[in-house]
Amino acid sequence: MELDERKLKILAAITETYLKTGEPVGSKLIAALLGGRVSPATVRNDMAVLFDLGLLEQPHTSAGRVPSHLGLRLYIDQLMPTQPLTLEERQEIEALFNRRNPDPDKLLEDSARALAKYTNCAAISTTMYKQNATVRKIELIPATAHTVVILLIASNGMIKNKVCRVDFRLTPKIVDFFTSFANSRLAGRGINEITRNYINSISFSLGEYTDIFSPLLTAIYDLCREASDGRIYRSGTSNLLEYGELRQIANQLFRVINSREELMDLIDRDENGVRVSIGRENQKLELADSTVIISKYKIGEDSMGAVGLIGPIRMDYARLLPHIEYFSQMLGKLLNETLEDQDDPGA
């Protein structure tokens, strides 16, 4: 059945009132919100039709109605008024990123914390493993005469580092030689291609220096494994306890949020842009009374990560959706700038 304009207005009014108050909405209030142009009796009839179509629910025996998950989906996709960010709101989000740290790991961690505080939901930020992720660069930074810090910069936005001790004295000439050697064999190569066997093969190509440089190559292999997994940062999980409808199922929600596998299942889909999964749309029983919002950010042309929110079904979608979209755009922009700075030898 195709809904006429009046029924759509009634559904929108019920949904917006419920999202603000959390209470079932009655026909008299809706009639008043529509300016008295429609009688309460007509509103009740239309509410009955919306109920039969599965767009409204009756939580208890009162005369009030609330939107169903299907009704919320229709509202978000078709009826929700767009609220473009004001200049002040953009500046407020940009201010969250003013203290840039050149380490993408730290930037992602700080972003999750800022997003959780800003929205009062549980927030996540992540890089995501891609089959085409490559090694961008290997760097060696001598710390002592026998200790070096190895940096691996990957195309999925990760900078991994590891301290490695060697049995020989590190000189500038040796550091330059190994850095050049490692980059000639590894830079531009897919991270998933850098297997233990591949590391052994390039190690053997060093001939008499194989045993000397093997600890450094083993450390690089370990860094590749870390970079390929990506990172997930979580913040604001305790915020969920502030919502009465989530308090009783908090333990189940915490289990999902603390499980890397469960979170990646929520995040790692092909959709770009902002994706909203309401309640049972999440296909996880633990999230049947929650909404998950995911917004992908990009490094270059690839979607390489995401920021997300987990919160109650009753949230201010019209405000939060443009905010999280702009937030993820800012995060992607800063990660791109950070990696470009690292690639610039004059930076």
Side-chain angles (χ1 to χ4, degrees):
M1 176 181 178
E2 187 171 340
L3 297 179
D4 57 37
E5 183 178 354
R6 189 182 67 212
K7 291 183 180 64
L8 290 174
K9 286 183 177 179
I10 290 173
L11 176 61
I14 291 172
T15 302
E16 289 166 4
T17 304
Y18 170 72
L19 292 178
K20 290 177 183 177
T21 67
E23 298 294 331
V25 185
S27 57
K28 290 183 180 180
L29 176 58
I30 295 302
L33 291 174
L34 295 178
R37 295 185 297 272
V38 182
S39 69
T42 299
V43 172
R44 281 195 296 274
N45 290 335
D46 285 346
M47 288 172 67
V49 173
L50 294 171
F51 180 84
D52 291 340
L53 291 173
L55 298 171
L56 295 180
E57 293 177 347
Q58 187 174 17
H60 38 74
T61 56
S62 72
R65 300 290 189 274
V66 300
S68 66
H69 294 182
L70 185 61
L72 272 172
R73 170 55 58 198
L74 177 60
Y75 172 77
I76 291 172
D77 291 346
Q78 299 182 29
L79 306 176
M80 185 174 70
T82 57
Q83 296 183 9
L85 296 182
T86 64
L87 176 61
E88 183 179 356
E89 288 172 327
R90 288 176 180 268
Q91 290 174 340
E92 186 177 357
I93 292 175
E94 290 165 7
L96 298 175
F97 293 98
N98 273 349
R99 294 187 175 183
R100 279 184 56 192
N101 189 301
D103 180 358
D105 276 339
K106 188 67 167 63
L107 182 56
L108 287 166
E109 184 177 14
D110 290 346
S111 296
R113 187 178 300 111
L115 190 60
K117 183 177 180 180
Y118 192 72
T119 63
N120 205 38
C121 293
I124 54 177
S125 62
T126 175
T127 55
M128 292 162 54
Y129 169 68
K130 292 287 184 183
Q131 292 294 328
N132 60 351
T134 60
V135 174
R136 294 170 70 101
K137 187 168 26 172
I138 302 289
E139 292 184 3
L140 266 68
I141 303 174
T144 68
H146 295 278
T147 307
V148 64
V149 178
I150 303 175
L151 293 180
L152 182 146
I153 303 171
S155 67
N156 63 352
M158 288 294 93
I159 297 179
K160 312 307 300 180
N161 66 81
K162 191 177 183 70
V163 177
C164 186
R165 179 172 176 78
V166 294
D167 293 332
F168 55 89
R169 184 176 182 81
L170 289 160
T171 65
K173 186 174 181 179
I174 290 175
V175 170
D176 289 345
F177 166 78
F178 184 82
T179 300
S180 176
F181 172 81
N183 280 291
S184 68
R185 300 300 196 281
L186 299 172
R189 182 170 289 273
I191 287 180
N192 59 326
E193 298 175 33
I194 302 175
T195 62
R196 177 71 70 179
N197 286 339
Y198 181 74
I199 289 293
N200 289 339
S201 70
I202 64 174
S203 178
F204 291 146
S205 71
L206 287 165
E208 61 184 299
Y209 300 108
T210 294
D211 291 340
I212 295 176
F213 289 116
S214 282
L216 296 178
L217 289 170
T218 298
I220 291 173
Y221 170 78
D222 292 339
L223 293 176
C224 287
R225 301 282 60 76
E226 292 180 26
S228 70
D229 289 338
R231 288 282 186 175
I232 295 179
Y233 294 96
R234 309 160 178 86
S235 187
T237 305
S238 60
N239 288 342
L240 300 180
L241 295 173
E242 298 181 20
Y243 302 101
E245 62 266 45
L246 299 181
R247 211 167 289 144
Q248 291 185 339
I249 58 171
N251 286 338
Q252 294 96 304
L253 288 176
F254 293 170
R255 186 192 66 76
V256 172
I257 294 171
N258 289 325
S259 167
R260 177 187 178 86
E261 183 179 348
E262 297 269 18
L263 281 185
M264 292 308 292
D265 188 45
L266 292 174
I267 295 169
D268 196 8
R269 300 180 186 175
D270 293 335
E271 296 98 325
N272 290 318
V274 180
R275 171 167 51 85
V276 182
S277 300
I278 305 167
R280 291 184 291 272
E281 291 179 350
N282 290 297
Q283 298 180 343
K284 293 182 184 294
L285 291 176
E286 298 91 337
L287 298 172
D289 295 310
S290 305
T291 286
V292 177
I293 302 176
I294 301 294
S295 181
K296 300 285 184 69
Y297 66 80
K298 291 189 175 184
I299 297 178
E301 296 301 318
D302 296 323
S303 294
M304 300 297 290
V307 294
L309 296 175
I310 298 176
I313 288 175
R314 185 176 63 86
M315 62 170 63
D316 189 352
Y317 296 96
R319 183 183 75 87
L320 286 180
L321 295 187
H323 277 74
I324 192 172
E325 182 176 26
Y326 192 65
F327 191 97
S328 67
Q329 289 173 0
M330 285 296 302
L331 178 57
K333 179 174 179 286
L334 289 180
L335 285 171
N336 270 291
E337 290 174 357
T338 299
L339 292 175
E340 287 170 1
D341 289 346
Q342 291 160 357
D343 281 344
D344 183 0

